């Protein structure tokens, strides 16, 4: 066999980069499900492994934040929460808000934080941010249990609070927050590979976003007190999730069906946009990180 025949011979296997413009990689994710669970376990175990208080930080942060919000916004600023105790009102909003911010913050530096692993072995890169969203469910579950404890406490103290029948759909709100945080996190993570400024802006931006998401006040308040700026909250999909959460768990506020449909639409668009950008970035990020 001469050289010409060798050149023209067909290869048994040919390794090439994936050229799909968009792919969910669901089959691959299922094949690597053991690795996904391994990363979830790593995220849960190692985050607070070398801290003195350990998992207690899951409890300290929402409790102290709720106390500060109650003092500043309810006692000093005089924001009324109706028949609902202000502390419980704030704790409900902070609990669901913390899940979103945890998903967003922890996925926003996926490429930068895992560059060493990505450069050595192949696996579906989406597994990394997906493991963060799943592991943060444990953190959310712990904080939600704390909310339930205070709920029972205030209920037996005679507070006028009630769980609405729509609470059965509460897991859907949690899923919306997780998917939205995942989508935004993938977009930011992709941008961070080229524009490092986003690393410094994300923390500041999340703090500003909290004030526009009705975490510490009812949506109706901003519309009545500052009607000229009410649209900033009205167009914020996170505000409808937080407002609906308080209605489901405390019986205060209202459910805006149109607002939730708007939130779901934005979530789907952001998630698929983030996945598209993430898939495109993973092919060449190692050259820029």
């Amino acid at each position: 066999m001469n050289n010409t025949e060798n050149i023209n011979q067909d290869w048994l296997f040919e390794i090439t980069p994936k050229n799909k413009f968009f792919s969910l990689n669901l089959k691959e994710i299922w094949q690597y499900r053991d690795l996904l669970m391994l990363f979830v376990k790593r995220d849960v175990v190692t985050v607070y492994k070398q801290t003195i208080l350990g998992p207690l930080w899951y409890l300290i942060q929402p409790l102290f934040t709720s106390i500060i919000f109650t003092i500043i916004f309810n006692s000093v600023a005089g924001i009324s929460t109706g028949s609902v105790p202000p502390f419980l009102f704030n704790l409900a909003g902070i609990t669901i808000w913390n899940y979103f911010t945890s998903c967003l913050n922890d996925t926003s530096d996926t490429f930068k934080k895992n560059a060493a692993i990505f450069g050595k072995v192949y696996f579906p890169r989406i597994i990394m941010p997906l493991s963060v969203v799943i592991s943060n469910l444990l953190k959310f579950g712990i904080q939600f249990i704390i909310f339930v404890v205070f709920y029972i406490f205030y209920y037996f103290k005679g507070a006028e609070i009630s769980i609405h029948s729509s609470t059965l759909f509460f897991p859907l709100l949690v899923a919306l927050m997780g998917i939205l945080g995942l989508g935004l996190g993938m977009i930011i993570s992709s941008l961070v590979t080229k524009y490092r400024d986003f690393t410094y802006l994300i923390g500041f931006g999340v703090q500003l976003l909290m004030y526009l998401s009705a975490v510490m006040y009812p949506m109706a308040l901003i519309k009545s007190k500052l009607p000229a700026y009410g649209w900033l909250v009205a167009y914020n999909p996170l505000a409808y999730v937080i407002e609906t959460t308080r209605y489901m768990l405390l019986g205060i506020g209202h459910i805006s069906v149109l607002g939730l449909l708007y939130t779901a639409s934005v979530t789907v668009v952001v998630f698929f946009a983030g996945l598209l950008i993430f898939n495109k970035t993973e092919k060449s990020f190692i050259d820029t990180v």
Side-chain angles (χ1 to χ4, degrees), residues 117-131:
I117 300 177
F118 288 169
K120 293 179 180 178
V121 63
Y122 172 78
F123 57 89
R125 307 310 189 198
I126 188 64
I127 281 183
M128 281 296 190
L130 190 59
S131 68

Side-chain angles (χ1 to χ4, degrees), residues 176 180 237 258-272:
L176 281 177
L180 185 56
L258 291 178
L260 290 177
L261 290 176
Y262 165 72
T263 299
S265 301
V266 172
T267 299
V268 170
V269 171
V270 170
F271 172 73
F272 283 110

Side-chain angles (χ1 to χ4, degrees), residues 129-149:
L130 190 59
S131 68
V132 170
V133 174
I134 296 175
S135 62
N136 277 323
L137 280 174
L138 175 62
K139 178 180 177 180
F140 170 78
I142 294 174
Q143 294 183 355
F144 187 74
I145 290 174
I146 296 302
F147 169 80
V148 172
V149 170

Side-chain angles (χ1 to χ4, degrees), residues 66 70 74 79 81-82 84-91 154:
S66 297
T70 301
N74 303 114
I79 295 178
T81 57
V84 176
F87 175 81
L88 200 60
F89 178 93
N90 292 319
L91 186 60
Y154 280 108

Side-chain angles (χ1 to χ4, degrees), residues 25-283:
N25 295 328
L26 293 179
K27 184 178 180 180
E28 273 195 313
I29 292 173
W30 176 250
Q31 291 174 343
Y32 284 86
R33 61 189 180 277
D34 292 335
L35 181 62
L36 174 61
M37 291 299 103
L38 184 64
F39 283 135
V40 170
K41 182 179 179 180
R42 181 201 65 174
D43 293 339
V44 172
V45 173
T46 60
V47 171
Y48 296 109
K49 189 175 182 180
Q50 295 180 338
T51 60
I52 297 175
L53 298 178
L56 286 178
W57 285 112
Y58 289 151
L59 312 180
I60 294 173
Q61 192 270 340
L63 289 178
F64 274 80
T65 304
S66 297
I67 292 172
I68 292 172
F69 280 6
T70 301
I71 294 173
I72 295 177
F73 293 99
N74 303 114
S75 298
V76 178
I79 295 178
S80 174
T81 57
S83 60
V84 176
F87 175 81
L88 200 60
F89 178 93
N90 292 319
L91 186 60
I94 290 169
T95 300
I96 189 72
W97 169 257
N98 280 347
Y99 179 60
F100 166 77
T101 56
S102 295
C103 294
L104 175 59
N105 290 329
D106 294 342
T107 58
S108 62
D109 61 348
T110 297
F111 286 118
K112 181 182 175 182
K113 185 168 59 177
N114 300 287
I117 300 177
F118 288 169
K120 293 179 180 178
V121 63
Y122 172 78
F123 57 89
R125 307 310 189 198
I126 188 64
I127 281 183
M128 281 296 190
L130 190 59
S131 68
V132 170
V133 174
I134 296 175
S135 62
N136 277 323
L137 280 174
L138 175 62
K139 178 180 177 180
F140 170 78
I142 294 174
Q143 294 183 355
F144 187 74
I145 290 174
I146 296 302
F147 169 80
V148 172
V149 170
F150 279 99
Y151 185 97
I152 296 173
F153 170 77
Y154 280 108
Y155 179 80
F156 283 104
K157 280 192 66 175
E160 297 181 14
I161 51 179
S162 60
I163 296 178
H164 195 265
S165 58
S166 60
T167 308
L168 293 173
F169 298 99
F170 180 64
L172 295 179
L173 297 183
V174 178
L176 281 177
M177 286 299 233
I179 296 172
L180 185 56
L182 174 61
L184 288 174
M186 289 191 296
I187 293 174
I188 295 172
S189 179
S190 301
L191 294 174
V192 165
T193 60
K194 291 185 179 181
Y195 310 104
R196 301 299 175 88
D197 291 346
F198 282 95
T199 303
Y200 307 103
L201 290 176
I202 183 64
F204 176 68
V206 167
Q207 290 181 355
L208 291 180
L209 185 60
M210 180 178 65
Y211 291 99
L212 296 176
S213 301
V215 175
M216 68 291 291
Y217 56 83
M219 286 186 67
L221 178 67
I222 194 70
K223 293 179 180 179
S224 61
K225 295 288 186 180
L226 298 170
Y229 300 97
W231 63 272
L232 291 173
V233 178
Y235 284 101
N236 183 354
L238 297 170
Y240 293 102
V241 175
I242 295 171
E243 185 79 0
T244 304
T245 295
R246 286 194 287 252
Y247 180 80
M248 288 181 174
L249 302 180
L250 302 174
I252 187 174
H254 69 286
I255 293 180
S256 173
V257 177
L258 291 178
L260 290 177
L261 290 176
Y262 165 72
T263 299
S265 301
V266 172
T267 299
V268 170
V269 171
V270 170
F271 172 73
F272 283 110
L275 191 60
L276 189 152
I277 297 172
F278 189 89
N279 287 341
K280 182 178 179 180
T281 303
E282 72 169 285
K283 300 176 184 178

